[in-house]
């Protein structure tokens, strides 16, 4: 079945959704994207995603193509037209099309594309049973706080991890875990402290990370935002990762080190349950 895609003001069939070969997103990776989860036909943490979209665009001087309200209308329209119950809505804004030149005019018209993808989130095997993550060097650029479409390092890290039977790669810089190739990394220490890396230019400020941390605070769980090493992660009592499309996913093995007893831990499961309840309501 063909999806309906949004492209620069129009809703068209998948086969009709075309961008120029001169689009700077295609030629230079000169663009920003966002992914919002949809559960029960409703957008999850979408305000956080739109704020981050605005921030990322501002950081690379691309104007917001529509107002925030209009973007939400596009997202809802795609959910309705594609009868999406569960999955994601993807947004991409690139600087637009012009003859190839590193330099660009200040008044370029951005190109805005959006589409939906149906996907099992809540009942995904990975979410229920947990995943194994590989350890890999973080070879990305130095502004990982900007959610650019320039994702080659992540693509290659994930492919290498998959080839070895892992679900995700946790990236490492100077001995410390930065984040997953497409998710935020968390560990639970032996003293029951949830640890995740503080936001900086070294990682993407995860929207799910933010929602989960707020929720954990509400549950009076102890949280520390600090760097942690691969060794500390391997010795953790529990571990998990978060992202719009993986929600709260237990990590049951890091490299060849089994975490806890190799099944999703109680704190992770508790966070999963509460996150889903909040998301549904
Ligand atoms: N990825 N870190 C990186 C590098 C990511 O690509 C993502 C999300 C996250 C988690 O962010 P959030 O909780 O806001 O989804 C962290 C999305 C899902 C993707 O690229 O498909």
């Amino acid at each position: 079945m063909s999806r309906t895609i949004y492209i620069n003001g129009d809703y068209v069939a998948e086969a009709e959704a075309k961008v120029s070969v001169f689009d700077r997103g295609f030629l230079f990776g000169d663009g920003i994207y966002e992914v919002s989860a949809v559960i029960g036909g409703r957008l999850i943490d979408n305000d956080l995603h739109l704020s981050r979209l605005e921030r990322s665009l501002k950081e690379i001087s691309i104007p917001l193509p529509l107002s925030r309200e209009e973007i939400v209308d596009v997202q809802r329209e795609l959910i309705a037209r594609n009868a999406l119950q569960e999955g994601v809505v993807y947004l991409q804004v690139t600087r637009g099309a012009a003859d190839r030149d590193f330099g660009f005019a200040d008044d370029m018209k951005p190109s805005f594309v959006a589409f939906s993808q149906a996907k099992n989130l809540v009942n995904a095997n990975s979410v229920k049973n947990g995943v194994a993550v590989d350890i890999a060097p973080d070879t990305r650029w130095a502004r990982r706080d900007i959610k650019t479409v320039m994702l080659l390092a992540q693509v290659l890290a994930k492919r290498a991890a998959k080839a070895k039977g892992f679900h995700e790669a946790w990236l490492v810089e100077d001995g410390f875990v930065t984040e997953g190739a497409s998710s935020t990394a968390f560990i639970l220490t032996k003293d029951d402290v949830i640890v995740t890396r503080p936001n900086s230019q070294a990682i993407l400020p995860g929207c799910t990370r933010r929602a989960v941390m707020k929720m954990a605070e509400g549950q009076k769980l102890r949280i520390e935002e600090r760097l942690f090493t691969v060794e500390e992660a391997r010795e953790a009592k529990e571990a998990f990762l978060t992202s719009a499309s993986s929600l709260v996913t237990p990590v049951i093995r890091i490299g060849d080190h089994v975490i806890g007893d190799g099944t999703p831990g109680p704190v992770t499961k508790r966070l999963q349950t509460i996150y889903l309840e909040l998301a549904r309501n």
Side-chain angles (χ1 to χ4, degrees), residues 105-179:
D106 289 335
D107 60 351
M108 284 192 66
K109 193 176 174 320
S111 168
F112 179 28
V113 170
F115 56 82
S116 59
Q117 283 181 317
K119 196 176 172 210
N120 262 340
L121 304 181
V122 179
N123 289 315
N125 189 43
S126 50
V127 171
K128 291 199 144 162
N129 301 317
V131 298
V133 301
D134 194 12
I135 292 294
D138 198 333
T139 60
R140 297 174 298 165
W141 75 326
R143 288 302 307 273
R144 301 156 192 158
D145 56 315
I146 302 172
K147 197 164 172 69
T148 86
V149 294
M150 210 173 52
L151 292 170
L152 186 56
Q154 288 95 313
V155 166
L156 296 180
K158 285 178 93 88
R159 184 182 69 154
K162 283 251 154 73
K164 291 192 265 170
F166 294 99
H167 178 88
E168 169 67 306
W170 277 12
L171 306 176
V172 178
E173 190 169 61
D174 303 329
F176 296 101
V177 174
T178 52
E179 60 184 330

Side-chain angles (χ1 to χ4, degrees), residues 216-273:
E217 274 162 20
Q219 293 291 307
K220 303 271 180 287
L221 294 169
R222 281 191 295 155
I223 308 170
E224 260 175 41
E225 288 181 81
R226 62 165 172 82
L227 273 59
F228 60 94
T229 62
V230 177
E231 290 68 37
E232 190 178 7
R234 286 186 186 127
E235 298 307 318
K237 200 168 171 184
E238 295 183 29
F240 58 96
L241 56 86
T242 64
S243 80
S245 50
S246 56
L247 312 172
V248 176
T249 293
V251 169
I252 55 171
R253 192 157 52 84
I254 299 175
D256 47 19
H257 289 247
V258 172
I259 304 301
D261 66 359
T263 64
V267 174
T268 305
K269 286 205 281 198
R270 187 166 147 206
L271 290 174
Q272 260 186 335
T273 309

Side-chain angles (χ1 to χ4, degrees), residues 10 39 44 58 70 124-125 146 149 187 205 222 233 269 280:
D10 297 317
I39 297 175
I44 309 301
K58 197 159 172 240
E70 287 166 331
N125 189 43
I146 302 172
V149 294
I187 58 170
R222 281 191 295 155
K269 286 205 281 198
R280 286 206 176 97

Side-chain angles (χ1 to χ4, degrees), residues 33-35 49 52 90 140 144 147 151 154 179-184 203-209 242-246:
Y33 77 105
E34 269 302 330
V35 179
H49 288 285
R52 190 173 63 190
Y90 177 89
R140 297 174 298 165
R144 301 156 192 158
K147 197 164 172 69
L151 292 170
Q154 288 95 313
E179 60 184 330
S182 64
S183 57
T184 305
I203 62 165
L204 185 78
C207 298
T208 320
R209 169 192 189 278
T242 64
S243 80
S245 50
S246 56

